[in-house]
Amino acid sequence: MQKKKEYRSNQERSDKTRDALLSAARTLFANKGYAETSTPEIAAAATITRGALYHHFKDKRELFRAVLEREAHAVADEIEAVTPSGLPARQALIAGSEAYLDAMTVPGRTRLLLIEGPVVLGRAEMIALDEANAARTLYEGLEAAMTDSGRMDFRPSVLAILLSAAFDRAAEAIENGADPAEFKSAMAGIIERVLRS
């Protein structure tokens, strides 16, 4: 019993340290960028030793990837929160598109996922990360809505790639001061046209 409690306590400490590292790294990467952020800075911000940092992450790149995974999961979670299974597919697709644009307004998120991520991890790794998260929800939404409408003029996977690029550009525009309502309306209009084509 004592060993089990001790293990849980050690695991809890380890989880807490990892979480502190991810939070500190996220703040620094979002504010300064990957290249300008050092591991000693991250360790100091997390109030841990560099040894503890390297116990949890092989290097700065692995830590950065973990930060991006957390961000990408958060975006997908926000999309899924507004698209419950009982919602009609077309309505879910529109709600999900708005949720994506809202999720990307979290300070630093656009920089991390759309600017720093592709530079540091490369396009292929970022595409894979996106396909496991936001792009996956877009594909699933398109497939369901296109099936419901009986329109399969284009493959949902192809449309998901094209629309994903449009969503990312919209998120960047909003980040740079564009009117979110205008972009949400435009993206909803594009989706409506795709489903009617």
Side-chain angles (χ1 to χ4, degrees), residues 50-146:
R50 279 182 70 197
L53 186 155
Y54 290 114
H55 171 75
H56 288 276
F57 300 98
K58 179 177 72 176
D59 55 23
K60 183 169 84 164
R61 186 183 188 282
E62 185 177 279
L63 173 57
F64 182 70
R65 189 181 199 298
V67 167
L68 295 193
E69 284 176 348
R70 185 187 254 192
E71 293 297 310
H73 289 311
V75 172
D77 287 347
E78 288 186 42
I79 293 167
E80 289 170 340
V82 300
T83 57
S85 59
L87 202 61
R90 181 182 293 246
Q91 193 178 337
L93 192 54
I94 300 296
S97 73
E98 289 185 8
Y100 172 80
L101 293 175
D102 287 340
M104 292 302 286
T105 64
V106 170
R109 189 169 279 165
T110 298
R111 178 179 188 173
L112 289 169
L113 291 174
L114 304 182
I115 299 166
E116 295 283 332
V119 171
V120 177
L121 301 181
R123 292 290 306 153
E125 200 167 338
M126 285 306 296
I127 288 169
L129 185 60
D130 191 33
E131 286 176 348
N133 292 285
R136 171 190 51 79
T137 66
L138 178 58
Y139 168 77
E140 290 169 356
L142 279 168
E143 185 176 47
M146 291 171 79

Side-chain angles (χ1 to χ4, degrees), residues 143-179:
E143 185 176 47
M146 291 171 79
T147 300
D148 282 1
S149 70
R151 302 305 303 250
M152 291 299 244
D153 302 342
F154 305 101
R155 284 192 346 222
S157 59
V158 171
L159 287 174
I161 290 168
L162 297 172
L163 286 173
S164 184
F167 276 113
D168 290 350
R169 290 299 299 270
E172 289 176 356
I174 292 167
E175 173 79 9
N176 290 320
D179 179 10

